[in-house]
Amino acid sequence: MHDFQYRGDELLCEEVPVRGIAETVGTPFYLYSLNTLESHFRAFQNAFSKVDHLICFSAKANSNIAILRIFVRMGGGVDVVSGGELFRSMKASASPDKIVYSGVGKREEEIEYALELPILMFNIESTQELILIDRIAGRMRTKAPIALRVNPDVDPKTHPYISTGLKKNKFGINLQKSLDDYRLANTLPNVKVIGVSCHIGSQLTEVRPFVEAVQRIKELVLKLRAEGMNIQYMDIGGGLGITYNQEEPPHPRDYARALMKELKEIDCTLILEPGRVIVGNAGVLVTKVLYTKEGDEKNFIVVDAAMNDLIRPSLYGSYQRVQPVHRSDRPEWTADVVGPICESSDFLAKDRKLPKAEQGDLLAVMSAGAYGFSMSSNYNSRPRVAEVLVDKDKVFVIRQREDYDDLIRGEIIPDFLK
Ligand code: LLP
């Protein structure tokens, strides 16, 4: 469920007509519904309410500090993968002791930053990283709380670019090898082994791969405990999918039920790192039609949003539903929705049947709340778009549209060129 529905022919976000926001904020812009964000987060909390758990929202899905703040206010933690995401979490007043830090390439200064706070747990992805974290923690006269991110080698059956739990992926430590690394960790003076973690991929639409991963990890937890390691946390990552088009992913309730069944005998605090399932369908990208072109083979709707604003269709060939902000009974035609960027891969939708578009029409690219703004760039020197949050009948700009000065911030013409 989400809060982008029509009243009559006008698309609303909660109680606010999208068209009115476009008139004041300009286009393109990302638009989020507070009610959808909160109810998705709550659905996750409720699904796991029977077990000791911590929901660490995955900041990479949407890292706007107002969005992070919403989940922090609801008791959530944050899953971060960089010093920048740690900084954002602090700006959203997250509790450091609810932050988990994953990522294959943590830098020294990022590790120091996390140790200073200090965070709940590092999810370590290699033996070298383990050794470095031990060394830095020693230098800082502290102990780093750690889990190893293990790679359980299960097929998440999702797009290859977003599957992470296979042997051929760069993520995590091979399950068999992880036992040796855990033994090593247990001998290091400046790390404290407290958990096990994994994340097998994103946009999963079945429960089965999650269950398989948890079964494999459960065995590891038992072995580690048998060797005297105090495993208190089991972090099973994120990855639950959403409906973009026809997908039928499990409800968080069913996902939770399946996982909790596997974890009955394991007395651990469960950590979850959902991203897309919380924010994906809580946001849309609103864009304006600049031109239409009728070609011999194809029709094109040229809009003012582009691949730099929403890269998922270009990068993964992913489907994003496109809906008119004002419904009409114009005849339908089939067209590609494309942006102004000078790349043939700059499209938001292909071969879509839509009411014939006209210049100035507004379109909503649906399910754009996850990996939308957070993956946007300034390619073609396009200022990044505004982000707007709606709470019932109230509208808040949560990120201003960038201007031309933002584009060149930090750039310097050396004296000799002047
Ligand atoms: N935890 C870790 C360690 C992750 O790497 C990810 C996502 C998550 C949690 C959150 O996964 P989610 O619940 O959102 O599936 N840009 C791609 C998705 C990349 C996912 C990367 N890792 C897309 O637009 O589909």
Side-chain angles (χ1 to χ4, degrees):
M1 254 320 279
H2 58 71
D3 290 85
F4 298 91
Q5 308 292 345
Y6 289 96
R7 187 190 314 152
D9 288 329
E10 282 297 313
L11 185 66
L12 304 190
C13 176
E14 300 197 14
E15 293 163 26
V16 186
V18 174
R19 180 206 293 270
I21 305 174
E23 276 160 16
T24 43
V25 177
T27 57
F29 64 97
Y30 277 94
L31 177 61
Y32 310 107
S33 151
L34 178 66
N35 185 54
T36 311
L37 291 164
E38 288 183 338
S39 49
H40 285 179
F41 193 81
R42 208 172 301 116
F44 233 77
Q45 281 178 320
N46 291 343
F48 288 97
S49 60
K50 287 206 189 100
V51 295
D52 194 8
H53 74 279
L54 175 64
I55 300 176
C56 293
F57 171 68
S58 192
K60 63 180 83 60
N62 190 318
S63 53
N64 183 294
I65 57 174
I67 303 284
L68 297 182
R69 179 71 201 142
I70 292 167
F71 307 130
V72 165
R73 198 175 64 152
M74 295 176 80
V78 194
D79 152 47
V80 304
V81 289
S82 68
E85 287 187 354
L86 261 181
F87 177 75
R88 286 177 172 280
S89 305
M90 291 301 103
K91 290 289 175 197
S93 309
S95 312
D97 62 2
K98 290 184 180 173
I99 292 180
V100 291
Y101 186 178
S102 313
V104 290
K106 303 181 190 76
R107 299 152 57 95
E108 273 205 51
E109 58 271 30
E110 292 177 316
I111 294 167
E112 281 167 9
Y113 183 15
L115 282 171
E116 266 161 25
L117 290 172
I119 61 164
L120 174 63
M121 186 164 88
F122 288 88
N123 290 336
I124 290 181
E125 307 222 14
S126 66
T127 318
Q128 290 182 357
E129 182 191 332
L130 171 63
I131 290 165
L132 180 64
I133 289 184
D134 175 66
R135 189 166 344 120
I136 297 173
R139 198 165 68 207
M140 292 172 69
R141 301 192 191 293
T142 184
K143 255 187 177 230
I146 63 139
L148 298 188
R149 174 170 172 184
V150 300
N151 186 335
D153 195 28
V154 296
D155 185 355
K157 303 196 179 73
T158 183
H159 191 285
Y161 284 12
I162 52 177
S163 78
T164 45
L166 284 168
K167 272 192 184 152
K168 64 179 177 195
N169 297 130
K170 70 174 175 181
F171 298 97
I173 298 171
N174 170 295
L175 191 60
Q176 273 75 45
K177 183 175 175 309
S178 73
L179 198 54
D180 292 337
D181 283 331
Y182 267 111
R183 287 178 182 140
L184 170 64
N186 209 23
T187 66
L188 296 175
N190 311 305
V191 301
K192 190 168 160 218
V193 175
I194 61 166
V196 174
S197 82
C198 79
H199 168 80
I200 56 172
S202 198
Q203 184 53 15
L204 272 71
T205 51
E206 291 171 39
V207 166
R208 186 78 221 145
F210 289 115
V211 170
E212 273 175 36
V214 165
Q215 285 167 342
R216 293 184 192 179
I217 283 168
K218 188 166 77 175
E219 277 172 39
L220 176 65
V221 171
L222 295 174
K223 276 187 205 153
L224 297 173
R225 282 187 176 156
E227 297 196 16
M229 283 177 246
N230 185 11
I231 305 295
Q232 307 157 53
Y233 296 96
M234 187 190 258
D235 179 346
I236 51 175
L240 191 58
I242 63 169
T243 304
Y244 285 100
N245 189 12
Q246 310 286 350
E247 306 91 332
E248 291 180 352
H251 188 276
R253 201 186 313 113
D254 302 320
Y255 162 79
R257 199 174 293 140
L259 294 182
M260 290 188 306
K261 190 165 151 241
E262 294 301 322
L263 296 172
K264 253 189 245 139
E265 348 53 293
I266 296 262
D267 184 24
C268 269
T269 299
L270 193 58
I271 297 179
L272 302 134
E273 302 175 354
R276 188 189 320 263
V277 68
I278 308 286
V279 292
N281 280 323
V284 305
L285 173 62
V286 180
T287 182
K288 190 170 72 183
V289 176
L290 299 175
Y291 308 101
T292 60
K293 296 213 284 189
E294 282 181 47
D296 288 342
E297 285 188 20
K298 278 212 171 227
N299 299 317
F300 295 100
I301 304 172
V302 184
V303 296
D304 62 0
M307 65 188 284
N308 71 298
D309 304 308
L310 178 65
I311 203 174
R312 305 194 66 258
S314 312
L315 190 58
Y316 316 113
S318 60
Y319 181 99
Q320 309 270 162
R321 193 183 301 273
V322 176
Q323 290 181 195
V325 167
H326 181 83
R327 280 197 296 210
S328 69
D329 47 16
R330 292 184 210 146
E332 287 194 329
W333 70 332
T334 301
D336 285 8
V337 181
V338 302
I341 285 200
C342 303
E343 303 261 355
S344 296
S345 60
D346 179 24
F347 61 89
L348 298 174
K350 282 205 159 164
D351 299 319
R352 292 299 166 80
K353 230 184 203 168
L354 289 164
K356 200 149 192 242
E358 287 179 12
Q359 278 182 292
D361 282 356
L362 296 174
L363 297 175
V365 183
M366 308 304 287
S367 312
Y371 307 105
F373 189 92
S374 65
M375 293 182 82
S376 68
S377 77
N378 291 120
Y379 186 41
N380 274 202
S381 286
R382 290 167 49 84
R384 280 182 298 168
V385 305
E387 291 180 284
V388 177
L389 177 69
V390 163
D391 175 19
K392 298 186 195 75
D393 60 350
K394 293 195 207 65
V395 178
F396 304 91
V397 174
I398 57 169
R399 193 180 212 274
Q400 284 174 351
R401 186 179 306 285
E402 290 181 348
D403 60 21
Y404 291 154
D405 282 322
D406 292 322
L407 287 179
I408 57 163
R409 176 157 309 131
E411 294 180 23
I412 299 165
I413 300 179
D415 278 346
F416 81 95
L417 289 175
K418 285 182 182 159

